[in-house]
Amino acid sequence: MKKKDQGLIRYTRYLLSANEPSHAATNIHPLKDPRQATRNMLAEHSIRQAERRRAGLSGGGVRNYAQSYVFALPKDIPQPTKKQWAGIAARAVKAIAEENEIDPQKLWDVTGVVFHEEPTKSKNNHIHVIVGNIVDGKYHKGLTQKKSVYASKQAFNDYMLEVLDVDNKNYQALSEGRDDPLWLARKKQAEKEEKTILEARKKARKEIKIAQLWKDKYNKAGFNGLKFEMMLKKREIEKKEEKLSEASEWLLSKIDTYVDQCKRLLKYVEEENDKRINSTLNRIEKTELELEKAGLEVPDEEERQSRRRKLRP
């Protein structure tokens, strides 16, 4: 809960406000006055500031005045009474205090509890437990760490087992599909999205591997070398003749066509487009015959058949 005192005050107001859009159908029950808890938290902060000034200490400001813990239960298990919800909060705060070596009563003095009763199927009943991070003028960083979250969850589960005979280890959702509690629906959706991402990555890796194999086939068939060889020949012709003859211009044009055809072949090879591969090979071979008549060395018939075989799936 950031933004110092203003962040704490705004959050407390939000939890108690029936005018918030997210609280449209919510019945709000303060189980331990969060306003008084907020005043106590601000007083603790003032004590800490005064003690630091007396000690001649500067800096060390606290932005996070409190920590919020939320405990929710799906609708398809026995629901606690208001008194039992308060008991859950008290048990959790006691566990957090012990984990951080704080006097439980002093931590309880800077704790506010609000119960949100949700009559709709889409939201579960839950409590917000706001715990101040400053006790006896000392900031307890451990209250914001995972160890405190773990301790509170263990206390929550222990209370449910002892008082309501509900064991979280044996719980299985009774509802499916659209009737799933919101938390379960979100969990299922997250699992589904994660599975989709993993499958997409697997497919992409497979396609990249296949594309590389086809590219290797293209190189083994000699097209990459032929493409660069023709480009070099084009440069030789251009260097030899200051003014190109009509025959040379025609030859350079055919070389450009040949290079473009080789580039298109690589594209179709990577796409595994057999129909385009065959048609482009036919065009390449036709261009090669024309280049051969013009006096350039190109693959013979045996070599052409060999590279076709290399390009087969």
Side-chain angles (χ1 to χ4, degrees):
M1 201 179 302
K2 303 293 179 68
K3 298 188 179 178
K4 302 183 178 181
D5 56 340
Q6 290 305 308
L8 174 60
I9 292 167
R10 278 199 295 269
Y11 185 67
T12 301
R13 285 176 181 165
Y14 164 77
L15 292 180
L16 295 172
S17 175
N19 296 322
E20 294 291 335
S22 58
H23 298 160
T26 305
N27 298 318
I28 301 171
H29 309 281
L31 302 181
K32 185 175 184 298
D33 190 0
R35 292 191 180 91
Q36 183 57 52
T38 297
R39 287 191 286 270
N40 293 346
M41 292 177 208
L42 296 176
E44 284 285 353
H45 183 263
S46 297
I47 292 170
R48 181 177 183 272
Q49 282 184 317
E51 288 181 353
R52 288 180 65 83
R53 278 196 296 269
R54 278 196 296 273
L57 299 173
S58 60
V62 177
R63 293 182 58 81
N64 187 357
Y65 281 26
Q67 190 71 14
S68 178
Y69 300 85
V70 180
F71 302 95
L73 287 172
K75 294 286 181 65
D76 54 9
I77 66 171
Q79 295 296 299
T81 62
K82 291 180 190 176
K83 185 177 180 180
Q84 288 169 336
W85 275 115
I88 289 170
R91 178 77 69 91
V93 172
K94 184 174 184 292
I96 294 168
E98 290 173 351
E99 180 65 35
N100 291 277
E101 299 180 352
I102 303 171
D103 184 330
Q105 184 55 52
K106 289 182 178 179
L107 190 61
W108 185 246
D109 289 342
V110 289
T111 296
V113 183
V114 181
F115 170 39
H116 284 178
E117 186 180 12
E118 306 290 356
T120 61
K121 286 184 177 182
S122 61
K123 295 176 77 175
N124 295 319
N125 294 335
H126 58 279
I127 54 170
H128 294 265
V129 182
I130 315 165
V131 180
N133 289 334
I134 303 173
V135 180
D136 278 342
K138 180 183 177 184
Y139 176 70
H140 294 271
K141 187 177 181 180
L143 295 173
T144 67
Q145 295 175 340
K146 288 182 179 179
K147 65 177 183 178
S148 295
V149 176
Y150 179 78
S152 69
K153 286 183 177 180
Q154 287 297 109
F156 178 34
N157 292 334
D158 291 346
Y159 186 96
M160 291 299 297
L161 184 59
E162 291 172 22
V163 180
L164 292 170
D165 196 28
V166 174
D167 189 346
N168 68 298
K169 294 175 184 176
N170 298 329
Y171 172 72
Q172 287 186 337
L174 299 178
S175 54
E176 295 291 339
R178 290 179 299 173
D179 294 328
D180 283 342
L182 185 60
W183 70 272
L184 183 58
R186 284 175 176 169
K187 182 183 177 185
K188 286 183 176 180
Q189 181 62 25
E191 289 173 349
K192 184 179 178 182
E193 288 174 0
E194 184 179 4
K195 185 179 178 182
T196 302
I197 290 168
L198 289 173
E199 287 176 351
R201 285 176 180 168
K202 186 177 178 181
K203 184 179 178 183
R205 283 196 294 268
K206 183 179 178 181
E207 288 177 351
I208 290 169
K209 188 176 180 181
I210 291 171
Q212 187 58 50
L213 287 172
W214 275 102
K215 196 170 182 179
D216 290 344
K217 285 176 178 283
Y218 171 87
N219 291 334
K220 284 178 183 176
F223 285 103
N224 207 37
L226 283 168
K227 180 180 70 177
F228 284 111
E229 188 181 329
M230 287 297 176
M231 290 170 71
L232 289 171
K233 285 183 178 177
K234 178 183 175 182
R235 287 176 192 166
E236 286 176 16
I237 294 169
E238 288 173 335
K239 282 181 181 179
K240 283 180 183 176
E241 299 188 34
E242 291 182 8
K243 187 176 181 182
L244 294 173
S245 65
E246 189 175 327
S248 293
E249 285 183 351
W250 176 88
L251 183 57
L252 292 180
S253 173
K254 281 296 172 184
I255 290 174
D256 284 339
T257 299
Y258 187 79
V259 170
D260 287 340
Q261 287 169 341
C262 287
K263 288 178 181 177
R264 281 200 297 274
L265 179 62
L266 176 58
K267 176 177 179 289
Y268 299 140
V269 159
E270 290 177 339
E271 293 174 355
E272 297 181 73
N273 190 331
D274 292 338
K275 186 176 178 181
R276 293 281 188 179
I277 289 171
N278 287 327
S279 61
T280 307
L281 275 172
N282 291 337
R283 291 191 185 97
I284 286 173
E285 289 172 0
K286 183 179 178 183
T287 306
E288 284 176 341
L289 291 174
E290 291 176 315
L291 291 171
E292 188 177 25
K293 288 178 182 177
L296 293 184
E297 187 178 338
V298 295
D300 59 23
E301 182 61 28
E302 186 177 338
E303 289 173 319
R304 290 185 194 121
Q305 293 301 322
S306 173
R307 70 189 182 189
R308 276 185 179 269
R309 286 194 295 272
K310 288 176 182 176
L311 280 174
R312 284 173 190 163

